[in-house]
Amino acid sequence: MIYNTFKKLERKIYSILVFSFLFLSGCDYDTNQSALDPKGPLAKDQFKTFELSLWITVILFILVGGALLYALFKYRERPGDENKPMPKQSHGNPLIEGLLVIAFAVVLVILAIPTLKGIKMMKELPEEYEKDAITVNVKGYQWWFEFEYPDLGFTTANEFVFPVGKAVKINLVSNDVIHSFWIPKLSGKTDLIPGQENFMWVLADEAGEFYGQCAEYCGDSHAYMLFRAIAKPQEEYENWVSNMLKDPTKVAENSTIHDSHFKSLASKGEETLNRVGCLQCHMIGDVGGIIAPNLTKFASRGTLAAGWMDNNTENLKKWIWKSDQVKPGNLMYRSVEQMNLTEEDVDAMVAYLQTLK
Ligand code: HEC
Ligand SMILES: [Cu+2]
């Protein structure tokens, strides 16, 4: 009987293995949000701890699973065993149990050492990186991130740029509920908590766009709360900074726009945006509110709606026109709905926003 049950179970195990192979084959280790592809010293240190615990678990799995399989096979009931007397029963073995307790205590200590070291490394920037480090203050809002560069005196949103090979000291707070700041390829998560400042740092060994994501459930559009950490070579970073420091140019005075049709459209959009009240919430240059993403250099960002969509004409129009369809529950939709905008208003504002480079 037991033998038959075992046979059935065996088949189940095979089918689970085949199915998981089919489904898991879509996974890869180096996708945009993979923590298995570390690109900086902090992420690499954390990955090592992960690998250590993975290997320890694999070895334990093989030892325990092997012993179990051995016992199952060796002592299984065979046809004809029904009439034999019950083998001698025993309960507990103090020596084996004592040794196992000691063995597991040793395993825990082996895991605790790199874990504690890793936590310390994450919370305090190692001295060697201190000299060249830049500082960025991050504030979490329902459902986007604000990035302030306190030493440079400007604020941006949803994308932050930093030099390759240099540490970024990151101070984290929240405007509303608890969020969590996570750039899988650069570091583990740290919470953004209202009323408490947390610290972490990142350093990227190579240039690139690293995907970030809020990792603490924070309401309706939590899953759409992304951001980008963009590492650029020093010179490009400096160009980016000097552009960020320039005031936005009025459309009429913008000499880089040559298409006269586009220019008049953008000019109309500038007027509309100022009139309908977008600046109650958004800041452009030094005018506007601070409860929504700063739009000063909006056109130089690659993404829109907190990293959720590419920043292009079609998506931008969709966002202003019907932002609830893009991000359910977002805190802009109701106010814009009450503005009763026409499609022409939206097209014109899209053109204006695209001049904010
Ligand atoms: C009630 C405040 C409020 C008003 C008014 C408002 N917005 Fe927004 N806006 C927001 C918030 C909040 C977000 C962030 C939404 C999110 O990503 O969850 C946002 C996001 C945006 C973004 C995307 C920014 C980014 O980097 O992802 C654009 C562009 C934008 N708004 C344009 C406008 C325009 C144009 C108007 C006027 C027609 C307007 N907004 C009016 C609050 C407002
Ligand atoms: Cu969240």
Side-chain angles (χ1 to χ4, degrees):
M1 218 272 283
I2 300 179
Y3 181 77
N4 281 341
T5 320
F6 179 73
K7 275 283 167 204
K8 268 187 210 152
L9 190 68
E10 199 184 7
R11 255 171 268 143
K12 271 196 189 126
I13 293 174
Y14 285 145
S15 47
I16 291 172
L17 281 178
V18 170
F19 266 102
S20 46
F21 179 76
L22 284 177
F23 285 115
L24 297 179
S25 54
C27 305
D28 212 336
Y29 77 96
D30 62 352
T31 47
N32 285 329
Q33 294 197 17
S34 172
L36 305 180
D37 182 30
K39 295 290 190 217
L42 182 58
K44 282 177 183 157
D45 177 78
Q46 291 165 346
F47 184 64
K48 266 198 211 142
T49 312
F50 166 75
E51 270 184 321
L52 178 69
S53 61
L54 178 71
W55 283 115
I56 291 178
T57 349
V58 167
I59 292 167
L60 285 179
F61 177 73
I62 291 172
L63 288 179
V64 176
L68 182 67
L69 280 182
Y70 174 78
L72 280 175
F73 273 105
K74 176 129 204 260
Y75 299 108
R76 72 182 186 275
E77 194 185 56
R78 294 178 177 84
D81 278 357
E82 295 89 348
N83 304 322
K84 287 192 184 155
M86 186 72 107
K88 186 172 161 275
Q89 303 292 302
S90 68
H91 193 273
N93 181 324
L95 179 68
I96 295 185
E97 283 171 19
L99 286 177
L100 281 181
V101 169
I102 295 173
F104 287 123
V106 171
V107 169
L108 285 183
V109 171
I110 294 177
L111 279 175
I113 294 169
T115 306
L116 292 173
K117 270 195 192 157
I119 293 174
K120 183 173 180 314
M121 185 179 181
M122 191 173 179
K123 297 290 160 208
E124 283 166 37
L125 181 65
E127 200 128 333
E128 53 190 303
Y129 303 128
E130 187 69 51
K131 186 167 53 75
D132 296 323
I134 67 163
T135 301
V136 176
N137 296 336
V138 180
K139 199 176 209 178
Y141 288 74
Q142 274 172 323
W143 300 289
W144 58 282
F145 290 94
E146 178 182 275
F147 297 101
E148 181 197 4
Y149 288 69
D151 303 328
L152 301 168
F154 63 80
T155 297
T156 180
N158 298 326
E159 287 181 11
F160 76 104
V161 178
F162 59 101
V164 179
K166 296 190 175 159
V168 190
K169 297 199 266 182
I170 303 177
N171 302 311
L172 302 159
V173 291
S174 170
N175 181 59
D176 34 52
V177 297
I178 298 179
H179 303 273
S180 181
F181 193 77
W182 188 30
I183 312 169
K185 292 199 181 194
L186 298 183
S187 162
K189 309 161 186 177
T190 304
D191 278 1
L192 304 113
I193 298 174
Q196 181 192 313
E197 189 171 290
N198 282 345
F199 175 80
M200 68 178 272
W201 62 277
V202 295
L203 188 155
D205 286 338
E206 53 186 74
E209 266 196 31
F210 301 99
Y211 283 48
Q213 162 81 48
C214 174
E216 178 75 52
Y217 180 68
C218 57
D220 290 13
S221 272
H222 160 69
Y224 307 99
M225 183 167 169
L226 289 75
F227 62 99
R228 298 278 191 277
I230 303 171
K232 294 192 177 203
Q234 181 68 28
E235 202 186 303
E236 285 178 37
Y237 166 72
E238 279 164 21
N239 291 342
W240 179 79
V241 168
S242 61
N243 184 46
M244 289 303 286
L245 288 168
K246 275 189 216 135
D247 279 335
T249 319
K250 298 250 170 287
V251 175
E253 293 150 20
N254 194 328
S255 59
T256 65
I257 311 173
H258 302 298
D259 179 339
S260 65
H261 171 70
F262 180 80
K263 195 162 188 164
S264 72
L265 188 66
S267 210
K268 205 170 133 246
E270 181 177 25
E271 183 271 318
T272 311
L273 190 140
N274 284 309
R275 176 169 51 79
V276 295
C278 309
L279 299 185
Q280 282 165 19
C281 301
H282 292 282
M283 179 98 82
I284 296 180
D286 48 13
V287 185
I290 54 165
I291 59 168
N294 191 307
L295 296 179
T296 307
K297 296 281 167 181
F298 174 72
S300 65
R301 304 211 273 265
T303 64
L304 160 66
W308 182 237
M309 302 192 292
D310 286 340
N311 186 0
N312 59 37
T313 311
E314 192 192 336
N315 288 342
L316 187 51
K317 180 169 175 183
K318 184 166 184 199
W319 173 256
I320 298 171
W321 196 224
K322 301 233 168 348
S323 62
D324 61 323
Q325 288 179 7
V326 178
K327 275 179 95 161
N330 80 74
L331 300 178
M332 152 161 156
Y333 175 65
R334 275 180 193 290
S335 310
V336 174
E337 197 187 22
Q338 282 160 14
M339 292 173 185
N340 292 320
L341 301 172
T342 63
E343 194 162 353
E344 290 76 65
D345 290 338
V346 176
D347 285 335
M349 284 191 287
V350 166
Y352 169 54
L353 287 168
Q354 288 175 332
T355 69
L356 300 174
K357 290 200 178 123

